Amino acid sequence: MARERLYLFDTTLRDGQQTPGVDFSVDDKLVVMDLLDRLGVDYIEAGFPGGNPTDAALFAEERPTRATFTAFGMTKRPGRSVANDGGLQDLLKAKARAICLVAKSWDYHVRVALGCSNEENLESIRQSVAAAKAAGREVLVDCEHFFDGYKANSAYAVECALAAYNAGARWVVLCDTNGGTLPGEVSEIVRAVTKSVPGDHLGIHAHNDTEQAVANSLSAVDAGVRQIQGTLNGIGERCGNANLVSIIPTLVLKKAYRDRFETGVGEAALANLSQVSRAFDEMLNRAPNAQAPYVGKSAFATKAGIHASAIVKEPETYEHVPPESVGNRRRVLVSDQAGKSNLLAELGRIGLAVAKDDTRLDGLLREVKEREAQGYAYDGADASFELLARRALGTVPHYFDVLSYRVIVEERGGDMISEAVVKVKVDGETFLNAGEGNGPVNALDLALRKDIGKYQRHIDDMELVDFKVRILNGGTGATTRVLIESRDGKGNRWFTVGVSPNIVEASFQALSDSITYKLVRDGVSP
Ligand SMILES: [Zn+2]
């Protein structure tokens, strides 16, 4: 039997933006869109063009995503024509392929929030959908508070859904906006709605207020919906949205779904899931949840004892899915042998082929463990890991020596100025470089990259994109971890890490790794 298609709709950049402490720039959004495209979601709802200047700028240009680039906004206000509703007009001008309109579907909200009649709200839905369709967009309608609305007045809630569907919306999305609905109720209500709107035009948008957003989404699929909305790592307002990082592997790997449905996420993309999830956390500058299902560091970890010995012999005995299928790894916290096979897998991933019995592996493994204990996190810093591995295997040329560096921070006429001086030696020749910046790291970066002799032309197109600091343990002796993202003119991006009790030293390690990595990757010979 042919499998049915399930569509994944990501709203990390719109609903996820409601997370306290999360604020995406246009550049951040482009990076996340790239992660989402690699994963294979079908829709990327990237923002609310009428809502803020960042999203206005994002939607001022067409974005060549593989997924359908979607703008979010409201249905027209009652009492205004489509042509006279500025918000809706902005939305229609957004350079998006799809438009997701949010509409009221609870009569209580229609009365209190909109202050109009039930019929006027239905008319707003019809006219807004028709206008978006006439503008050539695929249309989705988020029925806000649908489940609560259904419980209060089921006939009206269904009428709202039908109004959207009959006006030509491709998807009518049933939203559990308060996140308080339970899986049994979701299933019952969705089943009833499919009698009016066909399931392959229905979507589910669940919030996590009873920690069942994932369960509610799956329950809705079981009852007939064919689109799931959610976010990366479940970010979102209050307790978050449905976590796509948990939903996707369940749909792809679990027999109950795998046999009936297919999604846009292939096996290769699924094997990137852990990396995508961690990269996203790094971007938010927060520590990944070690206990996150499928992708957490502890998701496949077993601590000593009978489980550990059994798991080495036959992993299936204790694992519900193979960790590699989601790009995670097994951690048996007792045997060095397991550490070695993880390391080999990691080396394979970055394209370094090493024989299992290569004696250099033991030294590298010891070094990785020591450094991780000091606070280095290589999951978020591939480039530093690759350098460490290549150094252990003797394949990193010696490009330059840093003889000394210093930074001065000075208050000058009301401004804070930082000056850095870096002395490097290249091929017997010494270069003394100075840089001035708005902070010590900026100054060091400019000084270090100013002149490294014959290698300079290879790093001219490099720039520091992002810089994140995390304090690893409290107190005055705290260790600082600095993560730096760099990019070059070809659009390559890489991450390096430095750790030290001194933030300047940690930054310098990450900066100098970044330059060395660029030279190694471009195959520059010494
Ligand atoms: Zn929501």
Side-chain angles (χ1 to χ4, degrees):
M1 206 178 84
R3 294 184 302 165
E4 268 189 88
R5 183 70 158 80
L6 270 184
Y7 295 84
L8 298 167
F9 182 103
D10 182 278
T11 182
T12 302
L13 300 176
R14 200 278 300 169
D15 224 357
Q17 174 119 289
Q18 305 299 320
T19 314
V22 167
D23 202 7
F24 299 112
S25 65
V26 171
D27 270 352
D28 290 339
K29 290 202 170 193
L30 296 177
V31 172
V32 174
M33 280 156 63
D34 194 50
L35 286 177
L36 291 167
D37 256 353
R38 269 167 47 200
L39 198 54
V41 303
D42 300 289
Y43 295 84
I44 297 176
E45 185 174 62
F48 183 9
N52 60 69
T54 303
D55 289 350
L58 181 70
F59 284 99
E61 281 175 47
E62 276 175 38
R63 306 291 176 179
T65 48
R66 198 196 44 73
T68 303
F69 183 51
T70 306
F72 172 88
M74 288 183 249
T75 46
K76 83 165 187 73
R77 277 175 286 176
R80 287 208 186 186
S81 68
V82 166
N84 275 324
D85 190 300
L88 184 57
Q89 287 301 323
D90 281 348
L91 187 57
L92 296 175
K93 279 185 215 117
K95 296 223 168 27
R97 280 152 58 199
I99 286 179
C100 183
L101 293 159
V102 59
K104 304 279 181 214
S105 56
W106 184 357
D107 59 355
Y108 168 61
H109 272 254
V110 171
R111 195 171 65 242
V112 174
L114 296 181
C116 69
S117 73
N118 284 353
E119 178 51 35
E120 278 176 293
N121 180 50
L122 293 174
E123 197 47 36
S124 283
I125 296 175
R126 291 183 201 113
Q127 288 187 17
S128 307
V129 170
K133 274 212 69 133
R137 306 300 201 281
E138 181 178 337
V139 188
L140 301 95
V141 174
D142 274 0
C143 291
E144 201 184 50
H145 293 289
F146 185 84
F147 293 91
D148 296 307
Y150 187 93
K151 286 186 232 170
N153 182 347
S154 57
Y156 186 65
V158 172
E159 257 190 281
C160 293
L162 255 182
Y165 177 62
N166 287 337
R170 165 67 184 89
W171 293 103
V172 179
V173 183
L174 311 180
C175 302
D176 184 26
T177 312
N178 291 338
T181 310
L182 302 177
E185 298 173 300
V186 167
S187 153
E188 197 186 312
I189 294 172
V190 168
R191 242 177 263 284
V193 177
T194 56
K195 297 199 174 84
S196 305
V197 178
D200 57 0
H201 288 269
L202 287 175
I204 178 76
H205 176 110
H207 277 266
N208 205 29
D209 299 66
T210 69
E211 211 170 33
Q212 300 191 82
V214 169
N216 280 340
S217 304
L218 295 173
S219 180
V221 169
D222 290 336
V225 313
R226 293 298 175 256
Q227 185 197 94
I228 302 178
Q229 301 202 341
T231 59
L232 284 178
N233 297 345
I235 70 163
E237 206 167 7
R238 304 185 313 274
C239 314
N241 285 61
N243 185 356
L244 286 180
V245 173
S246 298
I247 291 174
I248 290 171
T250 297
L251 296 176
V252 178
L253 299 172
K254 296 292 176 181
K255 189 169 163 41
Y257 295 97
R258 189 187 59 205
D259 287 354
R260 291 162 59 205
F261 301 111
E262 59 184 342
T263 68
V265 182
E267 263 175 47
L270 189 67
N272 250 324
L273 187 69
S274 299
Q275 203 265 328
V276 166
S277 169
R278 287 168 203 169
F280 183 61
D281 276 330
E282 286 301 347
M283 188 179 162
L284 298 180
N285 199 17
R286 62 180 201 178
N289 173 9
Q291 291 194 300
Y294 295 104
V295 298
K297 203 168 176 173
S298 304
F300 300 96
T302 308
K303 225 169 180 174
I306 47 161
H307 293 185
S309 53
I311 215 166
V312 172
K313 275 183 239 145
E314 287 185 51
E316 310 82 70
T317 48
Y318 290 96
E319 287 168 357
H320 71 118
V321 296
E324 316 76 62
S325 63
V326 291
N328 208 342
R329 47 182 156 151
R330 179 172 308 131
R331 284 167 219 267
V332 180
L333 310 169
V334 65
S335 122
D336 259 5
Q337 213 44 47
K340 204 163 172 178
S341 54
N342 288 341
L343 184 63
L344 273 168
E346 207 61 27
L347 294 174
R349 204 170 60 75
I350 57 173
L352 282 175
V354 187
K356 240 194 277 193
D357 51 2
D358 191 316
T359 51
R360 293 171 301 182
L361 281 176
D362 297 311
L364 176 59
L365 185 61
R366 216 175 314 119
E367 193 167 1
V368 169
K369 282 186 172 174
E370 272 170 28
R371 285 174 159 258
E372 287 190 335
Q374 286 164 32
Y376 287 84
Y378 290 108
D379 281 332
D382 265 9
S384 284
F385 175 74
E386 186 170 336
L387 281 182
L388 188 70
R390 286 187 183 277
R391 282 192 180 115
L393 303 172
T395 61
V396 177
H398 195 80
Y399 294 113
F400 58 88
D401 286 304
V402 175
L403 302 177
S404 66
Y405 65 86
R406 73 163 183 267
V407 190
I408 300 166
V409 181
E410 187 187 353
E411 207 255 40
R412 200 187 290 162
D415 292 326
M416 292 304 291
I417 308 282
S418 297
E419 268 174 13
V421 177
V422 179
K423 203 190 252 186
V424 280
K425 194 167 178 181
V426 182
D427 253 2
E429 202 183 335
T430 302
F431 296 83
L432 189 66
N433 299 330
E436 192 175 273
N438 56 13
V441 177
N442 182 223
L444 265 180
D445 177 42
L446 294 174
L448 182 61
R449 288 193 290 117
K450 195 165 195 175
D451 193 0
I452 51 166
K454 61 179 183 173
Y455 303 122
Q456 189 58 32
R457 64 191 176 89
H458 297 286
I459 65 164
D460 271 340
D461 65 337
M462 247 183 89
E463 65 174 324
L464 193 157
V465 189
D466 205 355
F467 169 81
K468 288 196 178 83
V469 177
R470 192 173 300 156
I471 308 298
L472 297 178
N473 41 26
T476 45
T479 302
T480 304
R481 174 163 76 216
V482 169
L483 192 71
I484 282 180
E485 180 182 1
S486 309
R487 85 175 149 213
D488 65 14
K490 285 172 235 141
N492 298 307
R493 285 167 184 268
W494 61 97
F495 295 84
T496 53
V497 64
V499 170
S500 165
N502 185 305
I503 185 174
V504 170
E505 195 201 352
S507 309
F508 196 81
Q509 287 172 15
L511 288 171
S512 94
D513 257 14
S514 174
I515 292 176
T516 308
Y517 178 77
K518 162 83 170 149
L519 296 173
V520 169
R521 216 222 3 229
D522 287 359
V524 177
S525 44

